[in-house]
Amino acid sequence: MLSSLLFLSSLATLAVALPPQWRNTSVENLVGPPAGVSRGHLPWAAMGDSWASGVTYDKLAYDKDAGCLRIKDAYSVQLSKDHGWTNDHQEFKFVACSGSRIAAAVGQAQQMSTDSDDKTKIKRKFATMTLGGNDAGFYDVAVQCFYQYNPRPGIYGKYPDKNSACKKALAQVRDNIALARTRPDEDNPVDIWGAIQSVMDWQRDEAQNPDFELYVTGYAHFFNVDDDSTWCNDQSFGVLPLLNKPLLSLELRREVNDLTTELNRMFRDAVLERQDKRVHFVDISPRFDKHRWCEPDQKTHDDLFDYSGKKAWFFNFRVPQDVPIPCVKDQQPGFPLLDFNTPADQIEGLIPECLKNYLSSGQFLRPFHPIKQGHKAIKKHIEDAIGNKY
């Protein structure tokens, strides 16, 4: 038990201390319709964060970039392999990268404007972009409100107390969104206005591609919050239930969903305010109806961790199923019990190598991200938004 607590405490600390990932690598995939079908040329790209790249685990890596964690099941990859929406020869470039923030938009716009060897310039017809969740602060909400890895007594408090770690994380997301709305033309935590502008400017000025189109997606709501979902009120995602058991109360679920709504509305408004027919907002959340956490057909705790595609379309996290047990067994008595206040420059020498590797792995980073069926739902919604344009 002690070694497990030490492991989880260390795991949480290093995860928080890790800096945002900035990647410059990408992979291009050439696909087309079945043989014998007349086709043109359709170069397009996928930009964004981990909701766009997916989060690699097992043998599902799209490429060899261990930092961006691109996955074969990502919605853009599924779209690139579907020939039903276009007869053209698709020339797809995958530049989305796990951990990316709003500021990465211009760099990704730059990457997608060249071919796979980053030498020959290519004018993309369009790109998809899912970006902004990391900047808003949803990662902290997942840790402070649902998983609560740290075993130190009293560190989290209890939601909905205003001084609880969860309530503070929720307030920070709300403040970040509000600040972005009041200062859309200045530096702010979630500057989706600036991200869209930088992408469109690059395409027009640098890529000489004035007809380029951008499809900006929102994020899906995670929870069913109907009145008949109260069975979920006494359930918990807490990884240390004997110490921290944060409950999935209807009040908490509604507050998290409301923040997702606020973020999506801000993205929608940023697109509409441009009055630019080349920029589109795609609200993907309706596609997840009946496949969120706490649906009526999820009657047991195990149902909240079902990845078959029949229940919720999100990855979750629990102990011991999702932790590297060999790392736990290898820990020696007296291994330092770290907390969130441990200085970042001290962490490097205190965490075993196997834990460092695990904290950058898809198995640890995939919670609150779509499973394959979730990516398929997003892909279908983007397909509908594109229509028969290509």
Side-chain angles (χ1 to χ4, degrees), residues 192-201 204 214 216 267-280:
I192 191 65
W193 286 266
I196 295 172
Q197 188 67 48
S198 64
V199 172
M200 300 306 291
D201 285 352
R204 182 194 64 210
L214 183 65
V216 179
F267 291 171
R268 178 202 63 191
D269 293 348
V271 168
L272 293 176
E273 288 171 15
R274 286 185 61 86
Q275 298 183 348
D276 186 342
K277 293 182 179 180
R278 300 169 302 162
V279 182
H280 317 269

Short mmCIF file of all heavy atoms in Angstrom, two decimals, residues 192-201 204 214 216 267-280:
data_model
loop_
_atom_site.label_atom_id
_atom_site.label_comp_id
_atom_site.label_asym_id
_atom_site.label_seq_id
_atom_site.Cartn_x
_atom_site.Cartn_y
_atom_site.Cartn_z
N ILE A 192 -8.40 32.11 -28.87
CA ILE A 192 -8.81 31.41 -30.07
C ILE A 192 -8.92 32.38 -31.24
O ILE A 192 -8.69 32.00 -32.40
CB ILE A 192 -10.14 30.65 -29.84
CG1 ILE A 192 -10.44 29.70 -31.01
CG2 ILE A 192 -11.28 31.62 -29.60
CD1 ILE A 192 -9.46 28.58 -31.17
N TRP A 193 -9.23 33.64 -30.96
CA TRP A 193 -9.26 34.66 -32.00
C TRP A 193 -7.88 34.76 -32.67
O TRP A 193 -7.77 34.74 -33.89
CB TRP A 193 -9.64 36.01 -31.43
CG TRP A 193 -11.08 36.16 -31.06
CD1 TRP A 193 -12.09 36.66 -31.82
CD2 TRP A 193 -11.69 35.81 -29.80
NE1 TRP A 193 -13.28 36.64 -31.13
CE2 TRP A 193 -13.06 36.12 -29.88
CE3 TRP A 193 -11.20 35.26 -28.61
CZ2 TRP A 193 -13.95 35.92 -28.83
CZ3 TRP A 193 -12.08 35.05 -27.57
CH2 TRP A 193 -13.44 35.36 -27.68
N GLY A 194 -6.85 34.85 -31.83
CA GLY A 194 -5.50 34.96 -32.34
C GLY A 194 -5.05 33.71 -33.08
O GLY A 194 -4.33 33.78 -34.08
N ALA A 195 -5.48 32.54 -32.58
CA ALA A 195 -5.09 31.29 -33.23
C ALA A 195 -5.67 31.21 -34.63
O ALA A 195 -4.96 30.88 -35.59
CB ALA A 195 -5.57 30.10 -32.39
N ILE A 196 -6.95 31.53 -34.76
CA ILE A 196 -7.58 31.50 -36.08
C ILE A 196 -6.92 32.52 -37.01
O ILE A 196 -6.61 32.22 -38.17
CB ILE A 196 -9.09 31.78 -35.96
CG1 ILE A 196 -9.78 30.66 -35.18
CG2 ILE A 196 -9.73 31.96 -37.34
CD1 ILE A 196 -11.23 30.94 -34.84
N GLN A 197 -6.68 33.73 -36.47
CA GLN A 197 -6.07 34.78 -37.28
C GLN A 197 -4.69 34.39 -37.77
O GLN A 197 -4.34 34.60 -38.94
CB GLN A 197 -6.00 36.07 -36.47
CG GLN A 197 -5.57 37.30 -37.28
CD GLN A 197 -6.61 37.69 -38.31
OE1 GLN A 197 -7.78 37.79 -37.99
NE2 GLN A 197 -6.19 37.89 -39.56
N SER A 198 -3.89 33.79 -36.89
CA SER A 198 -2.52 33.44 -37.27
C SER A 198 -2.52 32.36 -38.35
O SER A 198 -1.68 32.40 -39.27
CB SER A 198 -1.73 32.97 -36.05
OG SER A 198 -2.26 31.78 -35.50
N VAL A 199 -3.44 31.41 -38.26
CA VAL A 199 -3.51 30.36 -39.26
C VAL A 199 -3.93 30.93 -40.61
O VAL A 199 -3.31 30.65 -41.65
CB VAL A 199 -4.49 29.25 -38.83
CG1 VAL A 199 -4.72 28.25 -39.97
CG2 VAL A 199 -3.97 28.53 -37.60
N MET A 200 -4.97 31.76 -40.60
CA MET A 200 -5.47 32.32 -41.86
C MET A 200 -4.46 33.29 -42.47
O MET A 200 -4.29 33.34 -43.70
CB MET A 200 -6.82 33.00 -41.63
CG MET A 200 -7.92 32.08 -41.11
SD MET A 200 -8.18 30.60 -42.13
CE MET A 200 -8.90 31.34 -43.61
N ASP A 201 -3.79 34.07 -41.63
CA ASP A 201 -2.77 35.00 -42.13
C ASP A 201 -1.62 34.25 -42.78
O ASP A 201 -1.10 34.67 -43.84
CB ASP A 201 -2.23 35.88 -41.00
CG ASP A 201 -3.22 36.96 -40.58
OD1 ASP A 201 -4.24 37.13 -41.27
OD2 ASP A 201 -2.96 37.63 -39.55
N ARG A 204 -2.63 32.93 -46.15
CA ARG A 204 -2.78 33.99 -47.15
C ARG A 204 -1.44 34.60 -47.54
O ARG A 204 -1.13 34.74 -48.73
CB ARG A 204 -3.70 35.08 -46.60
CG ARG A 204 -3.98 36.23 -47.58
CD ARG A 204 -4.60 37.39 -46.85
NE ARG A 204 -3.66 37.95 -45.86
CZ ARG A 204 -4.06 38.54 -44.72
NH1 ARG A 204 -5.34 38.64 -44.43
NH2 ARG A 204 -3.15 39.02 -43.89
N LEU A 214 -10.77 26.63 -42.86
CA LEU A 214 -10.43 26.09 -41.53
C LEU A 214 -11.71 25.63 -40.83
O LEU A 214 -12.68 26.39 -40.74
CB LEU A 214 -9.73 27.17 -40.70
CG LEU A 214 -9.25 26.76 -39.30
CD1 LEU A 214 -8.16 25.69 -39.39
CD2 LEU A 214 -8.72 27.98 -38.54
N VAL A 216 -12.92 24.62 -37.28
CA VAL A 216 -12.59 24.67 -35.85
C VAL A 216 -13.62 23.85 -35.08
O VAL A 216 -14.82 24.13 -35.15
CB VAL A 216 -12.60 26.12 -35.34
CG1 VAL A 216 -12.27 26.16 -33.84
CG2 VAL A 216 -11.64 26.99 -36.14
N PHE A 267 -15.60 29.58 -28.85
CA PHE A 267 -15.05 29.20 -30.15
C PHE A 267 -16.02 29.56 -31.27
O PHE A 267 -15.63 30.09 -32.31
CB PHE A 267 -14.76 27.69 -30.19
CG PHE A 267 -13.63 27.26 -29.31
CD1 PHE A 267 -13.37 25.91 -29.10
CD2 PHE A 267 -12.80 28.17 -28.68
CE1 PHE A 267 -12.32 25.49 -28.30
CE2 PHE A 267 -11.74 27.77 -27.87
CZ PHE A 267 -11.51 26.43 -27.68
N ARG A 268 -17.30 29.23 -31.06
CA ARG A 268 -18.32 29.53 -32.07
C ARG A 268 -18.38 31.03 -32.34
O ARG A 268 -18.41 31.47 -33.50
CB ARG A 268 -19.68 29.04 -31.60
CG ARG A 268 -20.85 29.34 -32.53
CD ARG A 268 -22.16 29.31 -31.78
NE ARG A 268 -22.21 30.36 -30.75
CZ ARG A 268 -23.15 30.42 -29.81
NH1 ARG A 268 -24.09 29.50 -29.74
NH2 ARG A 268 -23.12 31.41 -28.93
N ASP A 269 -18.39 31.82 -31.27
CA ASP A 269 -18.48 33.27 -31.43
C ASP A 269 -17.25 33.84 -32.13
O ASP A 269 -17.35 34.77 -32.94
CB ASP A 269 -18.66 33.94 -30.07
CG ASP A 269 -20.01 33.62 -29.43
OD1 ASP A 269 -20.88 33.07 -30.14
OD2 ASP A 269 -20.18 33.88 -28.23
N ALA A 270 -16.08 33.28 -31.82
CA ALA A 270 -14.85 33.74 -32.47
C ALA A 270 -14.92 33.51 -33.98
O ALA A 270 -14.46 34.32 -34.77
CB ALA A 270 -13.64 33.02 -31.88
N VAL A 271 -15.53 32.39 -34.37
CA VAL A 271 -15.69 32.09 -35.80
C VAL A 271 -16.72 33.01 -36.42
O VAL A 271 -16.48 33.60 -37.50
CB VAL A 271 -16.10 30.61 -35.98
CG1 VAL A 271 -16.54 30.35 -37.43
CG2 VAL A 271 -14.94 29.69 -35.61
N LEU A 272 -17.87 33.18 -35.77
CA LEU A 272 -18.95 34.00 -36.34
C LEU A 272 -18.54 35.47 -36.46
O LEU A 272 -18.91 36.14 -37.43
CB LEU A 272 -20.21 33.88 -35.49
CG LEU A 272 -20.89 32.50 -35.48
CD1 LEU A 272 -22.07 32.50 -34.53
CD2 LEU A 272 -21.32 32.10 -36.88
N GLU A 273 -17.78 35.95 -35.48
CA GLU A 273 -17.38 37.36 -35.50
C GLU A 273 -16.46 37.69 -36.67
O GLU A 273 -16.37 38.86 -37.08
CB GLU A 273 -16.70 37.73 -34.18
CG GLU A 273 -17.66 37.81 -33.01
CD GLU A 273 -16.95 37.95 -31.67
OE1 GLU A 273 -15.73 38.26 -31.67
OE2 GLU A 273 -17.58 37.72 -30.62
N ARG A 274 -15.80 36.69 -37.22
CA ARG A 274 -14.93 36.94 -38.35
C ARG A 274 -15.72 37.24 -39.63
O ARG A 274 -15.23 37.91 -40.52
CB ARG A 274 -14.04 35.72 -38.62
CG ARG A 274 -12.92 35.52 -37.63
CD ARG A 274 -12.05 34.36 -38.09
NE ARG A 274 -11.44 34.61 -39.40
CZ ARG A 274 -10.32 35.27 -39.60
NH1 ARG A 274 -9.65 35.75 -38.57
NH2 ARG A 274 -9.84 35.44 -40.83
N GLN A 275 -16.94 36.72 -39.69
CA GLN A 275 -17.77 36.86 -40.89
C GLN A 275 -16.97 36.46 -42.14
O GLN A 275 -16.93 37.16 -43.15
CB GLN A 275 -18.29 38.31 -41.02
CG GLN A 275 -19.18 38.72 -39.87
CD GLN A 275 -19.76 40.12 -40.04
OE1 GLN A 275 -19.34 40.88 -40.91
NE2 GLN A 275 -20.73 40.46 -39.22
N ASP A 276 -16.36 35.30 -42.01
CA ASP A 276 -15.48 34.78 -43.05
C ASP A 276 -16.00 33.39 -43.45
O ASP A 276 -15.99 32.46 -42.64
CB ASP A 276 -14.04 34.68 -42.52
CG ASP A 276 -13.04 34.27 -43.58
OD1 ASP A 276 -13.45 33.74 -44.62
OD2 ASP A 276 -11.83 34.48 -43.34
N LYS A 277 -16.45 33.25 -44.67
CA LYS A 277 -17.03 31.99 -45.13
C LYS A 277 -16.00 30.87 -45.21
O LYS A 277 -16.36 29.70 -45.38
CB LYS A 277 -17.68 32.18 -46.50
CG LYS A 277 -18.92 33.08 -46.46
CD LYS A 277 -19.54 33.20 -47.84
CE LYS A 277 -20.79 34.09 -47.79
NZ LYS A 277 -21.43 34.23 -49.12
N ARG A 278 -14.73 31.20 -45.06
CA ARG A 278 -13.69 30.17 -45.11
C ARG A 278 -13.43 29.53 -43.75
O ARG A 278 -12.71 28.52 -43.67
CB ARG A 278 -12.39 30.78 -45.65
CG ARG A 278 -12.48 31.37 -47.05
CD ARG A 278 -11.23 32.18 -47.35
NE ARG A 278 -11.05 33.23 -46.35
CZ ARG A 278 -9.90 33.87 -46.13
NH1 ARG A 278 -8.83 33.55 -46.85
NH2 ARG A 278 -9.83 34.83 -45.23
N VAL A 279 -13.99 30.09 -42.69
CA VAL A 279 -13.75 29.58 -41.34
C VAL A 279 -15.07 29.07 -40.78
O VAL A 279 -16.08 29.78 -40.78
CB VAL A 279 -13.17 30.67 -40.42
CG1 VAL A 279 -12.88 30.10 -39.03
CG2 VAL A 279 -11.89 31.24 -41.02
N HIS A 280 -15.06 27.83 -40.28
CA HIS A 280 -16.28 27.17 -39.85
C HIS A 280 -16.12 26.65 -38.42
O HIS A 280 -15.05 26.18 -38.03
CB HIS A 280 -16.60 25.98 -40.77
CG HIS A 280 -16.42 26.28 -42.22
ND1 HIS A 280 -17.43 26.76 -43.02
CD2 HIS A 280 -15.31 26.18 -43.03
CE1 HIS A 280 -16.98 26.92 -44.25
NE2 HIS A 280 -15.69 26.59 -44.28
#
